[in-house]
Amino acid sequence: MNETIAFVQTPKDIAKLMISLISENKKIQKNISILDSGCGKGIFLKGLQEAGFTNIEGIELSKDLYEFCLKKFPNIQLYNDDYLDWLSLKEYDLIIGNPPYTHYNSLPRSSRSKVVRIVGNKESDIYYAFILKSIELLKEGGELIFIVPYGFFFNTYAKVIRERIIDNGYLETIIDLDETRLFEDENPETLIFKFVKKSLESKQNIRILRIKERNFKPNTINNKAVESLSNSKENEVFTYYERQMFTHENEVWTTYPEKIFSDFYLLKEVCWIGVGLVSGFEQAFLLDEEEKSLLNDEEKEFLVRSIKSKHCQGYWTDGFEYYLLIDKRIKSEEELKRYPTIHRKLISHKDSMTVRYFPASNKWFHWQALRNYEKLRSFIAQPKIFVPSLDRSTENRFSLTEEPYLPSGDVLTLVPQQKDPFFLLGYLNSKFFREYYLSAGARRGHRISFTQRIMSNVRIPVFDQETENGIAKIAKNIFDGKNTAKRKEIDEIISINLK
Ligand SMILES: C[S@@+](CC[C@H](N)C(=O)[O-])C[C@H]1O[C@@H](n2cnc3c(N)ncnc32)[C@H](O)[C@@H]1O
């Protein structure tokens, strides 16, 4: 075996922090059986030895790394083998480490089949297989302490991992390190978790730490995580809270506290919610002022004004783009020639447009995806709220417009049906809603993803009419004056009402 898959060294202080998570009753028995799966250059082996453990084993796929460890740790039982089809002779009290992270598509062929055999789908990452294999190799009461990407908390194809964890025990600790720079070159969002293999009845609460910003160094992370866990309190580096173990009802997992309110309705009951229109070839369809001025009256029929993510200011929109929305009103290239300016512009991109992806029923000069187009046109005269589908801003950017704009592919559209649009605008831009939304599993790195699926099912608390009117009034004030100083007033009203 001399393949290396994703060797990246874990910082010493992070390994130390993970070793400190071993339960006290195990720490005192120095001879518990321990396995480091994918031991690399032995950063965990060293830490474990320093902590006094005597019954340590390590497995490593790469012959070079295995030999490196063999020299360095003569007293440790090492295996140069592939963990994913390794036949272990025993079960372990503790499995610890930093498994490789590589998506199925980037794995060598030999590993792919092993991952599929263990996880059951081709959309997996190799670390999914490491988690499942490790759960299998633990004794009852055994512990798994891994540092892995955050993705298995929400990825659809990692559901099998979440289910296996729930069915076989519970998470005792989660330390969410977000996109902190821990490794050379890559900065995936990572978390440390400690899983305990135990029968259902004895599930405990999970202790959840989340790092407050990403510039802390491993040494500080170690010290402050240990401090926060031992005091059961937040500190300047970590937020701290406890919650019950996730259940099968939790579609995704999150490290944000749950917001619970009993009286609510779903956003989709009071709003139409839909994705924007995708041209699939911006240069061809986007027009500048000069190009627009060349269009004749017939050609102007294809002109639309469109809102992109960059126009969403939060509360209001600023600017728009002109697009040529070419759809099945033009059926053939012959017909396209009837519109000389449009034809001239599109034909210059024909080669590239022909090779892009589009549905078989489309022609090369059509827009790629016009989902919801009819619906959106029917709403054109109504107030609409646009929000970037993926947003890095620190405050929500739900942006209302009463203009006849259409949404681009990078924004989600909400059309209020029964509620005052200004009430929804104020509520959706509030701090409370942002935290609630994050707790619904919408975080993607340092961004929030506003999807039709999650947004449709968000719960809106029932406020009395006076409160709704109060929120709407302030939101209108912010919208009219283009001044967000009053955002805080809405946060206060909501926090008083939802205490
Ligand atoms: C992210 S590195 C971590 C290394 C070390 N544990 C550390 O924390 O510094 C993952 C390690 O797993 C090894 N590895 C990858 N695939 C493996 C497999 N199928 N079986 C055993 N080891 C594997 C890699 O060679 C690499 O050394």
Side-chain angles (χ1 to χ4, degrees), residues 3-11 36-44 59-62 65 81-84 97-101 111 126 130:
E3 268 176 288
T4 310
I5 300 175
F7 170 71
V8 187
Q9 176 115 329
T10 309
D36 175 354
S37 55
C39 57
K41 291 189 172 174
I43 199 83
F44 287 92
I59 179 164
E60 173 53 56
L61 182 66
S62 148
L65 293 170
D81 216 329
D82 186 333
Y83 187 51
L84 299 183
N98 180 358
Y101 322 150
S111 300
I126 187 171
F130 267 68

PDB file of all heavy atoms in Angstrom, residues 3-11 36-44 59-62 65 81-84 97-101 111 126 130, ligand 1:
ATOM      1  N   GLU A   3      -0.355   4.373  -1.406  1.00  0.00           N
ATOM      2  CA  GLU A   3      -1.123   5.508  -1.900  1.00  0.00           C
ATOM      3  C   GLU A   3      -1.220   6.528  -0.773  1.00  0.00           C
ATOM      4  O   GLU A   3      -1.240   6.157   0.394  1.00  0.00           O
ATOM      5  CB  GLU A   3      -2.541   5.062  -2.224  1.00  0.00           C
ATOM      6  CG  GLU A   3      -2.709   4.630  -3.650  1.00  0.00           C
ATOM      7  CD  GLU A   3      -4.111   4.111  -3.841  1.00  0.00           C
ATOM      8  OE1 GLU A   3      -4.404   3.022  -3.332  1.00  0.00           O
ATOM      9  OE2 GLU A   3      -4.895   4.818  -4.473  1.00  0.00           O
ATOM     10  N   THR A   4      -1.274   7.782  -1.137  1.00  0.00           N
ATOM     11  CA  THR A   4      -1.575   8.772  -0.104  1.00  0.00           C
ATOM     12  C   THR A   4      -2.843   9.471  -0.541  1.00  0.00           C
ATOM     13  O   THR A   4      -2.915   9.995  -1.647  1.00  0.00           O
ATOM     14  CB  THR A   4      -0.441   9.810   0.009  1.00  0.00           C
ATOM     15  OG1 THR A   4       0.764   9.094   0.119  1.00  0.00           O
ATOM     16  CG2 THR A   4      -0.621  10.687   1.231  1.00  0.00           C
ATOM     17  N   ILE A   5      -3.842   9.414   0.311  1.00  0.00           N
ATOM     18  CA  ILE A   5      -5.065  10.144  -0.013  1.00  0.00           C
ATOM     19  C   ILE A   5      -5.226  11.228   1.036  1.00  0.00           C
ATOM     20  O   ILE A   5      -5.380  10.947   2.211  1.00  0.00           O
ATOM     21  CB  ILE A   5      -6.302   9.220   0.008  1.00  0.00           C
ATOM     22  CG1 ILE A   5      -6.127   8.099  -1.016  1.00  0.00           C
ATOM     23  CG2 ILE A   5      -7.572  10.011  -0.269  1.00  0.00           C
ATOM     24  CD1 ILE A   5      -7.233   7.077  -0.998  1.00  0.00           C
ATOM     25  N   ALA A   6      -5.120  12.446   0.579  1.00  0.00           N
ATOM     26  CA  ALA A   6      -5.428  13.593   1.423  1.00  0.00           C
ATOM     27  C   ALA A   6      -4.651  13.614   2.732  1.00  0.00           C
ATOM     28  O   ALA A   6      -5.227  13.715   3.802  1.00  0.00           O
ATOM     29  CB  ALA A   6      -6.930  13.618   1.716  1.00  0.00           C
ATOM     30  N   PHE A   7      -3.312  13.544   2.625  1.00  0.00           N
ATOM     31  CA  PHE A   7      -2.552  13.719   3.865  1.00  0.00           C
ATOM     32  C   PHE A   7      -2.458  15.204   4.197  1.00  0.00           C
ATOM     33  O   PHE A   7      -1.929  15.992   3.413  1.00  0.00           O
ATOM     34  CB  PHE A   7      -1.132  13.125   3.767  1.00  0.00           C
ATOM     35  CG  PHE A   7      -0.301  13.543   4.960  1.00  0.00           C
ATOM     36  CD1 PHE A   7      -0.568  13.008   6.220  1.00  0.00           C
ATOM     37  CD2 PHE A   7       0.680  14.517   4.849  1.00  0.00           C
ATOM     38  CE1 PHE A   7       0.139  13.421   7.340  1.00  0.00           C
ATOM     39  CE2 PHE A   7       1.401  14.938   5.968  1.00  0.00           C
ATOM     40  CZ  PHE A   7       1.131  14.383   7.216  1.00  0.00           C
ATOM     41  N   VAL A   8      -2.983  15.574   5.314  1.00  0.00           N
ATOM     42  CA  VAL A   8      -2.863  16.940   5.828  1.00  0.00           C
ATOM     43  C   VAL A   8      -2.650  16.806   7.325  1.00  0.00           C
ATOM     44  O   VAL A   8      -3.406  16.093   7.992  1.00  0.00           O
ATOM     45  CB  VAL A   8      -4.153  17.768   5.598  1.00  0.00           C
ATOM     46  CG1 VAL A   8      -3.929  19.215   5.974  1.00  0.00           C
ATOM     47  CG2 VAL A   8      -4.627  17.682   4.175  1.00  0.00           C
ATOM     48  N   GLN A   9      -1.628  17.452   7.810  1.00  0.00           N
ATOM     49  CA  GLN A   9      -1.301  17.299   9.231  1.00  0.00           C
ATOM     50  C   GLN A   9      -2.235  18.141  10.108  1.00  0.00           C
ATOM     51  O   GLN A   9      -2.486  19.307   9.814  1.00  0.00           O
ATOM     52  CB  GLN A   9       0.155  17.748   9.428  1.00  0.00           C
ATOM     53  CG  GLN A   9       0.576  17.722  10.862  1.00  0.00           C
ATOM     54  CD  GLN A   9       1.677  16.688  11.100  1.00  0.00           C
ATOM     55  OE1 GLN A   9       1.740  15.657  10.431  1.00  0.00           O
ATOM     56  NE2 GLN A   9       2.537  16.970  12.034  1.00  0.00           N
ATOM     57  N   THR A  10      -2.719  17.548  11.182  1.00  0.00           N
ATOM     58  CA  THR A  10      -3.555  18.286  12.142  1.00  0.00           C
ATOM     59  C   THR A  10      -2.646  19.103  13.058  1.00  0.00           C
ATOM     60  O   THR A  10      -1.634  18.579  13.523  1.00  0.00           O
ATOM     61  CB  THR A  10      -4.347  17.287  13.016  1.00  0.00           C
ATOM     62  OG1 THR A  10      -5.000  16.365  12.155  1.00  0.00           O
ATOM     63  CG2 THR A  10      -5.373  17.973  13.887  1.00  0.00           C
ATOM     64  N   PRO A  11      -2.976  20.362  13.352  1.00  0.00           N
ATOM     65  CA  PRO A  11      -2.152  21.120  14.298  1.00  0.00           C
ATOM     66  C   PRO A  11      -2.105  20.400  15.660  1.00  0.00           C
ATOM     67  O   PRO A  11      -3.118  19.847  16.106  1.00  0.00           O
ATOM     68  CB  PRO A  11      -2.870  22.462  14.418  1.00  0.00           C
ATOM     69  CG  PRO A  11      -3.736  22.558  13.217  1.00  0.00           C
ATOM     70  CD  PRO A  11      -4.085  21.165  12.824  1.00  0.00           C
ATOM     71  N   ASP A  36      -5.959   5.098  15.931  1.00  0.00           N
ATOM     72  CA  ASP A  36      -5.934   6.324  15.117  1.00  0.00           C
ATOM     73  C   ASP A  36      -6.114   5.868  13.664  1.00  0.00           C
ATOM     74  O   ASP A  36      -5.250   5.183  13.112  1.00  0.00           O
ATOM     75  CB  ASP A  36      -4.593   7.045  15.320  1.00  0.00           C
ATOM     76  CG  ASP A  36      -4.445   8.276  14.418  1.00  0.00           C
ATOM     77  OD1 ASP A  36      -5.314   8.507  13.559  1.00  0.00           O
ATOM     78  OD2 ASP A  36      -3.432   8.984  14.580  1.00  0.00           O
ATOM     79  N   SER A  37      -7.241   6.245  13.049  1.00  0.00           N
ATOM     80  CA  SER A  37      -7.507   5.758  11.692  1.00  0.00           C
ATOM     81  C   SER A  37      -6.971   6.771  10.678  1.00  0.00           C
ATOM     82  O   SER A  37      -7.506   7.856  10.558  1.00  0.00           O
ATOM     83  CB  SER A  37      -9.008   5.556  11.515  1.00  0.00           C
ATOM     84  OG  SER A  37      -9.693   6.737  11.826  1.00  0.00           O
ATOM     85  N   GLY A  38      -5.909   6.402   9.979  1.00  0.00           N
ATOM     86  CA  GLY A  38      -5.249   7.321   9.043  1.00  0.00           C
ATOM     87  C   GLY A  38      -4.263   8.172   9.821  1.00  0.00           C
ATOM     88  O   GLY A  38      -4.394   9.389   9.914  1.00  0.00           O
ATOM     89  N   CYS A  39      -3.245   7.507  10.376  1.00  0.00           N
ATOM     90  CA  CYS A  39      -2.429   8.184  11.405  1.00  0.00           C
ATOM     91  C   CYS A  39      -1.389   9.157  10.841  1.00  0.00           C
ATOM     92  O   CYS A  39      -0.767   9.896  11.608  1.00  0.00           O
ATOM     93  CB  CYS A  39      -1.785   7.174  12.346  1.00  0.00           C
ATOM     94  SG  CYS A  39      -0.755   5.969  11.518  1.00  0.00           S
ATOM     95  N   GLY A  40      -1.195   9.188   9.511  1.00  0.00           N
ATOM     96  CA  GLY A  40      -0.300  10.181   8.918  1.00  0.00           C
ATOM     97  C   GLY A  40       1.080  10.135   9.530  1.00  0.00           C
ATOM     98  O   GLY A  40       1.728   9.084   9.581  1.00  0.00           O
ATOM     99  N   LYS A  41       1.556  11.272  10.037  1.00  0.00           N
ATOM    100  CA  LYS A  41       2.878  11.307  10.675  1.00  0.00           C
ATOM    101  C   LYS A  41       2.779  11.161  12.182  1.00  0.00           C
ATOM    102  O   LYS A  41       3.736  11.441  12.905  1.00  0.00           O
ATOM    103  CB  LYS A  41       3.598  12.606  10.310  1.00  0.00           C
ATOM    104  CG  LYS A  41       3.989  12.657   8.851  1.00  0.00           C
ATOM    105  CD  LYS A  41       4.892  13.843   8.590  1.00  0.00           C
ATOM    106  CE  LYS A  41       5.430  13.778   7.166  1.00  0.00           C
ATOM    107  NZ  LYS A  41       6.196  14.969   6.836  1.00  0.00           N
ATOM    108  N   GLY A  42       1.594  10.806  12.643  1.00  0.00           N
ATOM    109  CA  GLY A  42       1.476  10.387  14.038  1.00  0.00           C
ATOM    110  C   GLY A  42       1.231  11.483  15.065  1.00  0.00           C
ATOM    111  O   GLY A  42       1.558  11.321  16.232  1.00  0.00           O
ATOM    112  N   ILE A  43       0.596  12.574  14.621  1.00  0.00           N
ATOM    113  CA  ILE A  43       0.375  13.674  15.570  1.00  0.00           C
ATOM    114  C   ILE A  43      -0.532  13.234  16.734  1.00  0.00           C
ATOM    115  O   ILE A  43      -0.308  13.606  17.886  1.00  0.00           O
ATOM    116  CB  ILE A  43      -0.171  14.928  14.833  1.00  0.00           C
ATOM    117  CG1 ILE A  43       0.039  16.177  15.663  1.00  0.00           C
ATOM    118  CG2 ILE A  43      -1.617  14.812  14.437  1.00  0.00           C
ATOM    119  CD1 ILE A  43       1.398  16.765  15.524  1.00  0.00           C
ATOM    120  N   PHE A  44      -1.529  12.387  16.431  1.00  0.00           N
ATOM    121  CA  PHE A  44      -2.393  11.883  17.508  1.00  0.00           C
ATOM    122  C   PHE A  44      -1.670  10.807  18.323  1.00  0.00           C
ATOM    123  O   PHE A  44      -1.821  10.734  19.542  1.00  0.00           O
ATOM    124  CB  PHE A  44      -3.707  11.310  16.947  1.00  0.00           C
ATOM    125  CG  PHE A  44      -4.658  12.374  16.471  1.00  0.00           C
ATOM    126  CD1 PHE A  44      -4.648  12.798  15.145  1.00  0.00           C
ATOM    127  CD2 PHE A  44      -5.557  12.965  17.345  1.00  0.00           C
ATOM    128  CE1 PHE A  44      -5.506  13.784  14.706  1.00  0.00           C
ATOM    129  CE2 PHE A  44      -6.434  13.954  16.921  1.00  0.00           C
ATOM    130  CZ  PHE A  44      -6.406  14.369  15.596  1.00  0.00           C
ATOM    131  N   ILE A  59      -3.496   2.989  11.948  1.00  0.00           N
ATOM    132  CA  ILE A  59      -3.548   2.397  10.605  1.00  0.00           C
ATOM    133  C   ILE A  59      -3.292   3.504   9.596  1.00  0.00           C
ATOM    134  O   ILE A  59      -3.753   4.640   9.781  1.00  0.00           O
ATOM    135  CB  ILE A  59      -4.897   1.670  10.360  1.00  0.00           C
ATOM    136  CG1 ILE A  59      -4.942   1.088   8.944  1.00  0.00           C
ATOM    137  CG2 ILE A  59      -6.098   2.552  10.606  1.00  0.00           C
ATOM    138  CD1 ILE A  59      -6.030   0.049   8.757  1.00  0.00           C
ATOM    139  N   GLU A  60      -2.541   3.186   8.554  1.00  0.00           N
ATOM    140  CA  GLU A  60      -2.186   4.207   7.563  1.00  0.00           C
ATOM    141  C   GLU A  60      -2.041   3.541   6.198  1.00  0.00           C
ATOM    142  O   GLU A  60      -1.383   2.523   6.057  1.00  0.00           O
ATOM    143  CB  GLU A  60      -0.883   4.914   7.987  1.00  0.00           C
ATOM    144  CG  GLU A  60      -0.303   5.884   6.986  1.00  0.00           C
ATOM    145  CD  GLU A  60      -1.264   6.961   6.486  1.00  0.00           C
ATOM    146  OE1 GLU A  60      -1.837   7.704   7.304  1.00  0.00           O
ATOM    147  OE2 GLU A  60      -1.452   7.045   5.250  1.00  0.00           O
ATOM    148  N   LEU A  61      -2.675   4.141   5.210  1.00  0.00           N
ATOM    149  CA  LEU A  61      -2.667   3.594   3.852  1.00  0.00           C
ATOM    150  C   LEU A  61      -1.309   3.781   3.171  1.00  0.00           C
ATOM    151  O   LEU A  61      -0.826   2.894   2.462  1.00  0.00           O
ATOM    152  CB  LEU A  61      -3.751   4.319   3.040  1.00  0.00           C
ATOM    153  CG  LEU A  61      -3.976   3.895   1.612  1.00  0.00           C
ATOM    154  CD1 LEU A  61      -4.521   2.474   1.543  1.00  0.00           C
ATOM    155  CD2 LEU A  61      -4.972   4.834   0.926  1.00  0.00           C
ATOM    156  N   SER A  62      -0.695   4.917   3.398  1.00  0.00           N
ATOM    157  CA  SER A  62       0.548   5.215   2.687  1.00  0.00           C
ATOM    158  C   SER A  62       1.731   4.498   3.337  1.00  0.00           C
ATOM    159  O   SER A  62       1.956   4.604   4.544  1.00  0.00           O
ATOM    160  CB  SER A  62       0.773   6.725   2.694  1.00  0.00           C
ATOM    161  OG  SER A  62       2.140   7.018   2.729  1.00  0.00           O
ATOM    162  N   LEU A  65       4.294   6.935   4.922  1.00  0.00           N
ATOM    163  CA  LEU A  65       3.875   7.490   6.220  1.00  0.00           C
ATOM    164  C   LEU A  65       3.890   6.397   7.290  1.00  0.00           C
ATOM    165  O   LEU A  65       4.292   6.629   8.437  1.00  0.00           O
ATOM    166  CB  LEU A  65       2.476   8.121   6.112  1.00  0.00           C
ATOM    167  CG  LEU A  65       2.386   9.372   5.236  1.00  0.00           C
ATOM    168  CD1 LEU A  65       0.936   9.786   4.983  1.00  0.00           C
ATOM    169  CD2 LEU A  65       3.146  10.533   5.886  1.00  0.00           C
ATOM    170  N   ASP A  81      -2.407  -0.488   5.943  1.00  0.00           N
ATOM    171  CA  ASP A  81      -3.564  -1.124   5.316  1.00  0.00           C
ATOM    172  C   ASP A  81      -4.607  -0.070   4.975  1.00  0.00           C
ATOM    173  O   ASP A  81      -4.507   1.081   5.400  1.00  0.00           O
ATOM    174  CB  ASP A  81      -4.169  -2.140   6.312  1.00  0.00           C
ATOM    175  CG  ASP A  81      -4.696  -3.365   5.588  1.00  0.00           C
ATOM    176  OD1 ASP A  81      -5.140  -3.218   4.430  1.00  0.00           O
ATOM    177  OD2 ASP A  81      -4.678  -4.456   6.193  1.00  0.00           O
ATOM    178  N   ASP A  82      -5.607  -0.502   4.211  1.00  0.00           N
ATOM    179  CA  ASP A  82      -6.697   0.400   3.858  1.00  0.00           C
ATOM    180  C   ASP A  82      -7.799   0.233   4.905  1.00  0.00           C
ATOM    181  O   ASP A  82      -8.427  -0.829   4.993  1.00  0.00           O
ATOM    182  CB  ASP A  82      -7.216   0.037   2.459  1.00  0.00           C
ATOM    183  CG  ASP A  82      -8.244   1.037   1.967  1.00  0.00           C
ATOM    184  OD1 ASP A  82      -8.924   1.669   2.818  1.00  0.00           O
ATOM    185  OD2 ASP A  82      -8.381   1.207   0.745  1.00  0.00           O
ATOM    186  N   TYR A  83      -8.036   1.280   5.641  1.00  0.00           N
ATOM    187  CA  TYR A  83      -9.016   1.215   6.738  1.00  0.00           C
ATOM    188  C   TYR A  83     -10.383   0.732   6.249  1.00  0.00           C
ATOM    189  O   TYR A  83     -11.105   0.061   6.966  1.00  0.00           O
ATOM    190  CB  TYR A  83      -9.145   2.614   7.350  1.00  0.00           C
ATOM    191  CG  TYR A  83      -9.985   2.693   8.608  1.00  0.00           C
ATOM    192  CD1 TYR A  83      -9.758   1.851   9.685  1.00  0.00           C
ATOM    193  CD2 TYR A  83     -11.003   3.651   8.734  1.00  0.00           C
ATOM    194  CE1 TYR A  83     -10.516   1.941  10.850  1.00  0.00           C
ATOM    195  CE2 TYR A  83     -11.756   3.757   9.895  1.00  0.00           C
ATOM    196  CZ  TYR A  83     -11.512   2.894  10.947  1.00  0.00           C
ATOM    197  OH  TYR A  83     -12.259   2.986  12.099  1.00  0.00           O
ATOM    198  N   LEU A  84     -10.711   1.112   4.998  1.00  0.00           N
ATOM    199  CA  LEU A  84     -12.067   0.864   4.527  1.00  0.00           C
ATOM    200  C   LEU A  84     -12.378  -0.608   4.274  1.00  0.00           C
ATOM    201  O   LEU A  84     -13.532  -1.003   4.254  1.00  0.00           O
ATOM    202  CB  LEU A  84     -12.362   1.708   3.283  1.00  0.00           C
ATOM    203  CG  LEU A  84     -12.260   3.217   3.518  1.00  0.00           C
ATOM    204  CD1 LEU A  84     -12.642   3.980   2.279  1.00  0.00           C
ATOM    205  CD2 LEU A  84     -13.109   3.669   4.708  1.00  0.00           C
ATOM    206  N   GLY A  97      -9.010  10.721  15.436  1.00  0.00           N
ATOM    207  CA  GLY A  97      -8.173  11.117  14.313  1.00  0.00           C
ATOM    208  C   GLY A  97      -8.773  12.165  13.416  1.00  0.00           C
ATOM    209  O   GLY A  97      -9.799  12.778  13.721  1.00  0.00           O
ATOM    210  N   ASN A  98      -8.073  12.339  12.323  1.00  0.00           N
ATOM    211  CA  ASN A  98      -8.464  13.283  11.291  1.00  0.00           C
ATOM    212  C   ASN A  98      -8.493  12.477  10.003  1.00  0.00           C
ATOM    213  O   ASN A  98      -7.472  12.295   9.355  1.00  0.00           O
ATOM    214  CB  ASN A  98      -7.419  14.406  11.227  1.00  0.00           C
ATOM    215  CG  ASN A  98      -7.755  15.445  10.170  1.00  0.00           C
ATOM    216  OD1 ASN A  98      -8.747  15.318   9.463  1.00  0.00           O
ATOM    217  ND2 ASN A  98      -6.909  16.458  10.059  1.00  0.00           N
ATOM    218  N   PRO A  99      -9.647  11.960   9.619  1.00  0.00           N
ATOM    219  CA  PRO A  99      -9.697  11.109   8.424  1.00  0.00           C
ATOM    220  C   PRO A  99      -9.453  11.929   7.162  1.00  0.00           C
ATOM    221  O   PRO A  99      -9.525  13.156   7.203  1.00  0.00           O
ATOM    222  CB  PRO A  99     -11.126  10.557   8.464  1.00  0.00           C
ATOM    223  CG  PRO A  99     -11.912  11.563   9.206  1.00  0.00           C
ATOM    224  CD  PRO A  99     -10.977  12.166  10.214  1.00  0.00           C
ATOM    225  N   PRO A 100      -9.203  11.257   6.044  1.00  0.00           N
ATOM    226  CA  PRO A 100      -9.057  12.018   4.791  1.00  0.00           C
ATOM    227  C   PRO A 100     -10.402  12.604   4.371  1.00  0.00           C
ATOM    228  O   PRO A 100     -11.450  12.030   4.660  1.00  0.00           O
ATOM    229  CB  PRO A 100      -8.620  10.927   3.793  1.00  0.00           C
ATOM    230  CG  PRO A 100      -9.104   9.640   4.375  1.00  0.00           C
ATOM    231  CD  PRO A 100      -9.082   9.816   5.858  1.00  0.00           C
ATOM    232  N   TYR A 101     -10.355  13.777   3.724  1.00  0.00           N
ATOM    233  CA  TYR A 101     -11.578  14.369   3.165  1.00  0.00           C
ATOM    234  C   TYR A 101     -11.392  14.418   1.648  1.00  0.00           C
ATOM    235  O   TYR A 101     -10.566  15.185   1.166  1.00  0.00           O
ATOM    236  CB  TYR A 101     -11.828  15.818   3.610  1.00  0.00           C
ATOM    237  CG  TYR A 101     -11.496  16.197   5.040  1.00  0.00           C
ATOM    238  CD1 TYR A 101     -11.105  17.509   5.336  1.00  0.00           C
ATOM    239  CD2 TYR A 101     -11.606  15.288   6.086  1.00  0.00           C
ATOM    240  CE1 TYR A 101     -10.820  17.898   6.630  1.00  0.00           C
ATOM    241  CE2 TYR A 101     -11.310  15.675   7.385  1.00  0.00           C
ATOM    242  CZ  TYR A 101     -10.915  16.970   7.652  1.00  0.00           C
ATOM    243  OH  TYR A 101     -10.624  17.352   8.935  1.00  0.00           O
ATOM    244  N   SER A 111     -10.529   3.202  -4.339  1.00  0.00           N
ATOM    245  CA  SER A 111     -11.216   3.631  -3.114  1.00  0.00           C
ATOM    246  C   SER A 111     -12.704   3.841  -3.339  1.00  0.00           C
ATOM    247  O   SER A 111     -13.513   3.705  -2.429  1.00  0.00           O
ATOM    248  CB  SER A 111     -10.636   4.947  -2.607  1.00  0.00           C
ATOM    249  OG  SER A 111      -9.283   4.797  -2.335  1.00  0.00           O
ATOM    250  N   ILE A 126     -15.060  10.510   1.306  1.00  0.00           N
ATOM    251  CA  ILE A 126     -14.432   9.353   1.957  1.00  0.00           C
ATOM    252  C   ILE A 126     -14.565   9.438   3.488  1.00  0.00           C
ATOM    253  O   ILE A 126     -14.648   8.421   4.168  1.00  0.00           O
ATOM    254  CB  ILE A 126     -12.953   9.185   1.509  1.00  0.00           C
ATOM    255  CG1 ILE A 126     -12.368   7.878   2.053  1.00  0.00           C
ATOM    256  CG2 ILE A 126     -12.103  10.364   1.879  1.00  0.00           C
ATOM    257  CD1 ILE A 126     -10.993   7.521   1.496  1.00  0.00           C
ATOM    258  N   PHE A 130     -15.302   6.692   6.669  1.00  0.00           N
ATOM    259  CA  PHE A 130     -14.490   6.570   7.891  1.00  0.00           C
ATOM    260  C   PHE A 130     -15.374   6.635   9.136  1.00  0.00           C
ATOM    261  O   PHE A 130     -15.153   5.904  10.099  1.00  0.00           O
ATOM    262  CB  PHE A 130     -13.407   7.664   7.943  1.00  0.00           C
ATOM    263  CG  PHE A 130     -12.087   7.223   7.370  1.00  0.00           C
ATOM    264  CD1 PHE A 130     -11.954   6.965   6.019  1.00  0.00           C
ATOM    265  CD2 PHE A 130     -10.978   7.050   8.189  1.00  0.00           C
ATOM    266  CE1 PHE A 130     -10.746   6.551   5.483  1.00  0.00           C
ATOM    267  CE2 PHE A 130      -9.762   6.636   7.672  1.00  0.00           C
ATOM    268  CZ  PHE A 130      -9.639   6.385   6.313  1.00  0.00           C
TER     269      PHE A 130
HETATM  270  C1  LIG B   1      -6.106  14.279   6.926  1.00  0.00           C
HETATM  271  S1  LIG B   1      -4.766  13.159   7.036  1.00  0.00           S
HETATM  272  C2  LIG B   1      -4.513  13.130   8.759  1.00  0.00           C
HETATM  273  C3  LIG B   1      -3.229  12.546   9.189  1.00  0.00           C
HETATM  274  C4  LIG B   1      -2.993  12.498  10.691  1.00  0.00           C
HETATM  275  N1  LIG B   1      -4.023  11.714  11.349  1.00  0.00           N
HETATM  276  C5  LIG B   1      -2.999  13.880  11.254  1.00  0.00           C
HETATM  277  O1  LIG B   1      -4.003  14.251  11.825  1.00  0.00           O
HETATM  278  O2  LIG B   1      -2.026  14.616  11.109  1.00  0.00           O
HETATM  279  C6  LIG B   1      -5.549  11.625   6.634  1.00  0.00           C
HETATM  280  C7  LIG B   1      -4.628  10.441   6.616  1.00  0.00           C
HETATM  281  O3  LIG B   1      -5.367   9.282   6.279  1.00  0.00           O
HETATM  282  C8  LIG B   1      -4.596   8.472   5.393  1.00  0.00           C
HETATM  283  N2  LIG B   1      -5.552   7.671   4.621  1.00  0.00           N
HETATM  284  C9  LIG B   1      -6.270   8.041   3.552  1.00  0.00           C
HETATM  285  N3  LIG B   1      -7.054   7.048   3.138  1.00  0.00           N
HETATM  286  C10 LIG B   1      -6.846   6.016   3.965  1.00  0.00           C
HETATM  287  C11 LIG B   1      -7.396   4.705   4.052  1.00  0.00           C
HETATM  288  N4  LIG B   1      -8.305   4.283   3.192  1.00  0.00           N
HETATM  289  N5  LIG B   1      -6.946   3.900   5.052  1.00  0.00           N
HETATM  290  C12 LIG B   1      -6.015   4.336   5.932  1.00  0.00           C
HETATM  291  N6  LIG B   1      -5.465   5.560   5.889  1.00  0.00           N
HETATM  292  C13 LIG B   1      -5.879   6.397   4.934  1.00  0.00           C
HETATM  293  C14 LIG B   1      -3.826   9.466   4.576  1.00  0.00           C
HETATM  294  O4  LIG B   1      -2.686   8.877   3.986  1.00  0.00           O
HETATM  295  C15 LIG B   1      -3.482  10.533   5.614  1.00  0.00           C
HETATM  296  O5  LIG B   1      -2.286  10.240   6.256  1.00  0.00           O
END
